[in-house]
Amino acid sequence: MVVPHPSSSRSYHHILSNAYPTSFHHHHHHHHHNHHHHHHPSLVIFWCLVISLLSPLAFSSSPSSSSSSASSSSSSSSSQISLGIGETEGTKQDLHQAILRDEAVARLHELGQVSDAAAHLERTFMSPASIRAIKLLRGWMEDAGLSTWVDNMGNIHGRVDPKNGSTPALLIGSHMDTVIDAGKYDGSLGIISAISALKVLKVNGKLGELKRPVEVIAFSDEEGVRFQSTFLGSAALAGIMPVSRLEVTDKSGITVQDALKENSIDITEENLMQLKYDPASVWGYVEVHIEQGPVLEYVGYPLGVVKGIAGQTRLKVTVKGSQGHAGTVPMSLRQDPMTGAAELIVLMESVCKNPKEYITCEGQCNEETIESLANSLVCTVGEISTWPSASNVIPGQVTFTVDLRTIDDVGRNAILHDLSTRMYQICDKRSLLCSIERKHDADAVISDPHLSLQLKSAAQSALKKITGEIQDEVPVIMSGAGHDAMAMSYLTKVGMLFVRCRGGISHSPAEHVLDDDVGAAGLAILEFLESQM
């Protein structure tokens, strides 16, 4: 389902987004194959219209601004025409579009080609492609006027220190690694948008006016593909990475420490400790990330403010019954763990769809907890295995996993208690032996209210500039996925902005963000930075 931009009633933005090669309909079919959209037939008609409609004055800003995007080969931009908002505004508008949208989109496509596999995107911790990506990102950071370095965990930093540079720094970051067969936007969007926003400040001669240092960080590992261990990059900076992590091995038996050594980064116990930022030197952390879910598209908004990242519990449920012959044991005499597991899974779905009807709380939780459970609880059975797993055998044992997430930690524990109690009741009724183990627990991270408010007003003013209209409230949503902000919350206050993605699809080559939404993300960071002048 494609929701049109909220601005579609009466703004130039609407005309552009339908005539530009960035329009939804065009991308639906072609965005995988080709980013050189310059020969689209509707563009020819569009140009005839543009040339006849716009006064010669409108072209006056063209040469200066188009040069920057012409250099990026796959830039999907086709026009840098001022939009008749008065000369200076128009030129500024062009610059914003050229850097924040067109160049950023071109860079996303370019980084999306840097892969360890020929047929799909795959860039894991310290792989050959990640080393190429480091060079590329450092170059873009330097182009924006930042001084850069790579730390002992492979994170890339690009920093600008204003004239009075001793105040705590604003960190803006996301991750540069990908999953296997990834999309181009997960992680990369947050890094590239931040670099673009700083580049606009540089071009406008305003970098020196920032009231605090700003540091863009591209984290080396968030997905945890290679070492099955998430947040290697951000956990090290936040000071929450155990030294034992350096000894964890990948499938080839190479440790984290070896992987860094191969790329001439010498990490030891001592300098791992030195990576930790002093909390006094950090003002806060901001992350822009694709939503990876369908909510923003559903409500028709390009940007949303993240109120927090859900806490998570993983369970392993084992159901033991009586193994037997599929043909000779009558139905009434079976203790079948498979049908028992099926009932447990359907129970879990009911509880998680309607927690209000199931939760007892024992005085532990208030109305607010119950409300936030109703709004944010999600539960998934992702793995199931059975023994001996033969078609003519009643299984002896069935094991399945439960992934349960919600923004409310008290509610999570209450619902786990109630769910377990009801699961054991079903097992007893069926004469099955059940065990429920908690395999993983992570508490929710709540965004800093003041920082979130600043991000919200930055997003609102960005959308107002883009559409020329007063905006409704920017939506405030929960993140069900973990992000680097989770690790960074141990170091400093955090805030996040989500960017709409088509169909809510992520961790897939079909992951897609509209060019205009990439521009909106960059402009929101720019507005936020300008509020830090």
Side-chain angles (χ1 to χ4, degrees), residues 17 19 76 80 128 170 228 286 288 336 417 423 473 493 495 523:
S17 66
S76 62
Q80 306 300 334
L170 161 66
Q228 313 288 279
V286 167
V288 173
D336 184 344
H417 177 268
M423 281 183 159
E473 282 280 285
K493 60 184 183 187
L523 188 55

Side-chain angles (χ1 to χ4, degrees), residues 90-308:
T91 312
K92 203 161 122 190
Q93 200 78 22
D94 276 1
L95 178 74
H96 288 178
Q97 293 236 1
I99 295 175
L100 298 175
R101 188 188 70 185
D102 304 331
E103 184 175 61
V105 167
R107 285 173 169 182
L108 281 161
H109 293 321
E110 193 178 339
L111 187 56
Q113 300 303 314
V114 180
S115 173
D116 287 304
H120 63 262
L121 176 54
E122 174 182 337
R123 203 168 50 237
T124 57
F125 181 71
M126 286 293 122
S127 70
S130 77
I131 303 305
R132 298 202 300 278
I134 288 175
K135 288 198 180 85
L136 199 57
L137 286 165
R138 275 188 87 164
W140 292 339
M141 285 176 176
E142 281 158 12
D143 170 58
L146 310 179
S147 47
T148 67
W149 69 97
V150 176
D151 67 28
N152 284 343
M153 211 58 205
N155 301 307
I156 318 169
H157 304 252
R159 184 173 169 116
V160 55
D161 282 286
K163 299 175 184 95
N164 51 352
S166 63
T167 50
L170 161 66
L171 310 180
I172 310 180
S174 202
H175 59 97
M176 57 175 274
D177 67 320
T178 72
V179 293
I180 292 170
D181 200 19
K184 293 175 181 167
Y185 300 88
D186 179 0
S188 305
L189 177 66
I191 302 166
I192 287 171
S193 298
I195 294 172
S196 300
L198 285 160
K199 179 171 176 174
V200 171
L201 290 182
K202 179 197 166 192
V203 172
N204 290 339
K206 284 189 181 172
L207 262 188
E209 290 172 34
L210 288 161
K211 71 174 169 211
R212 58 177 58 91
V214 174
E215 190 174 311
V216 178
I217 307 175
F219 295 111
S220 55
D221 180 280
E222 186 254 14
E223 301 288 4
V225 172
R226 183 171 178 183
F227 292 98
Q228 313 288 279
S229 174
T230 52
F231 307 136
L232 282 177
S234 45
L237 298 189
I240 57 166
M241 186 176 130
V243 178
S244 57
R245 281 275 175 91
L246 294 175
E247 300 308 318
V248 174
T249 59
D250 67 7
K251 288 191 180 104
S252 325
I254 295 169
T255 66
V256 172
Q257 195 165 14
D258 299 336
L260 287 158
K261 273 218 175 81
E262 282 170 9
N263 292 292
S264 46
I265 296 176
D266 191 26
I267 183 90
T268 60
E269 203 168 311
E270 296 74 59
N271 61 23
L272 174 64
M273 293 307 147
Q274 287 160 10
L275 278 179
K276 181 188 190 305
Y277 275 43
D278 173 5
S281 71
V282 179
W283 177 79
Y285 172 78
V286 167
E287 181 166 2
V288 173
H289 202 282
I290 60 168
E291 181 196 353
Q292 301 182 287
V295 177
L296 287 173
E297 187 179 65
Y298 183 74
V299 298
Y301 252 80
L303 302 172
V305 174
V306 179
K307 69 166 173 253

Side-chain angles (χ1 to χ4, degrees), residues 326-404:
T328 57
V329 183
M331 295 303 284
S332 58
L333 298 180
R334 295 185 177 198
Q335 290 160 270
D336 184 344
M338 180 65 85
T339 47
E343 192 176 344
L344 298 180
I345 292 167
V346 173
L347 165 79
M348 179 214 71
E349 184 190 39
S350 307
V351 169
C352 295
K353 271 185 170 170
N354 308 300
K356 284 179 173 174
E357 291 172 28
Y358 288 89
I359 198 159
T360 54
C361 268
E362 270 113 40
Q364 290 300 298
C365 43
N366 52 21
E367 265 307 299
E368 197 183 327
T369 290
I370 294 170
E371 263 318 296
S372 81
L373 272 179
N375 295 329
S376 75
L377 180 62
V378 287
C379 311
T380 308
V381 171
E383 277 182 63
I384 186 164
S385 61
T386 156
W387 175 261
S389 198
S391 61
N392 62 346
V393 181
I394 303 162
Q397 178 174 308
V398 175
T399 308
F400 63 91
T401 58
V402 176
D403 176 310
L404 186 145

Side-chain angles (χ1 to χ4, degrees), residues 2 12 20 43 48 54 70 75 89 106 125 132 141 146 153 165 217 280 308 316 379 417 424 453 457 472 507 520 523:
V2 173
Y12 71 77
Y20 259 63
L43 279 180
C48 301
L54 291 176
S75 167
E89 264 305 296
F125 181 71
R132 298 202 300 278
M141 285 176 176
L146 310 179
M153 211 58 205
I217 307 175
K316 182 180 175 189
C379 311
H417 177 268
Y424 285 128
L453 214 57
S457 71
D472 305 334
H507 284 188
L523 188 55

Side-chain angles (χ1 to χ4, degrees), residues 347-482:
L347 165 79
M348 179 214 71
E349 184 190 39
S350 307
V351 169
C352 295
K353 271 185 170 170
N354 308 300
K356 284 179 173 174
E357 291 172 28
Y358 288 89
I359 198 159
T360 54
C361 268
E362 270 113 40
Q364 290 300 298
C365 43
N366 52 21
E367 265 307 299
E368 197 183 327
T369 290
I370 294 170
E371 263 318 296
S372 81
L373 272 179
N375 295 329
S376 75
L377 180 62
V378 287
C379 311
T380 308
V381 171
E383 277 182 63
I384 186 164
S385 61
T386 156
W387 175 261
S389 198
S391 61
N392 62 346
V393 181
I394 303 162
Q397 178 174 308
V398 175
T399 308
F400 63 91
T401 58
V402 176
D403 176 310
L404 186 145
R405 307 180 191 211
T406 169
I407 197 83
D408 192 296
D409 291 332
V410 174
R412 182 163 47 92
N413 286 312
I415 209 81
L416 282 164
H417 177 268
D418 289 352
L419 181 63
S420 306
T421 305
R422 286 169 189 273
M423 281 183 159
Y424 285 128
Q425 285 167 356
I426 289 172
C427 293
D428 286 349
K429 183 189 78 185
R430 288 176 164 270
S431 304
L432 298 166
L433 194 63
C434 291
S435 71
I436 302 173
E437 296 169 79
R438 280 175 92 143
K439 286 293 200 185
H440 167 82
D441 272 294
D443 283 350
V445 169
I446 305 300
S447 303
D448 180 73
H450 181 61
L451 198 48
S452 296
L453 214 57
Q454 288 178 291
L455 286 169
K456 193 174 184 177
S457 71
Q460 228 147 338
S461 88
L463 295 176
K464 181 172 186 289
K465 281 188 178 167
I466 289 169
T467 62
E469 291 170 29
I470 302 294
Q471 293 299 308
D472 305 334
E473 282 280 285
V474 170
V476 177
I477 53 184
M478 177 198 87
S479 172

